[in-house]
Amino acid sequence: MAVGYSLSAKAALPVVQVVLFPLAFAGGLFLPPVAFPDWLNTLSQGTPTRAGRDLLVQALTGEAAYAAAWPVLIGWTVLFAALAVGAYRRDEGRRFR
């Protein structure tokens, strides 16, 4: 939502795609995190996609997620909610007069 309120529709689509694919890869959506080198595994544990993936795997299989999965997911949610609110307030009334 922050990207949508910050950019035009034509610019928002490519920006979201450029952000989505690296996050999906680093989050373990294309390859299992077991196959990652140590540096990428450590980096991916700070991404919202990895936290969401691990919590979903835990819910479906019972395999324990890493301890920081919930704090990481909540932190990213708070960050992007704040960015979305800020972008909405900045855009309010400017685009649709």
Side-chain angles (χ1 to χ4, degrees), residues 74-84:
I74 290 169
W76 279 99
T77 301
V78 168
L79 172 71
F80 283 118
L83 289 173

Side-chain angles (χ1 to χ4, degrees), residues 22-46:
L23 275 177
F25 178 77
L29 301 181
F30 295 138
L31 295 172
V34 183
F36 289 168
D38 289 337
W39 67 269
L40 183 56
N41 188 41
T42 303
L43 178 74
S44 76
Q45 289 181 350

Side-chain angles (χ1 to χ4, degrees), residues 59-80:
L60 294 175
T61 66
E63 179 183 328
Y66 64 101
W70 276 111
V72 166
L73 199 57
I74 290 169
W76 279 99
T77 301
V78 168
L79 172 71
F80 283 118

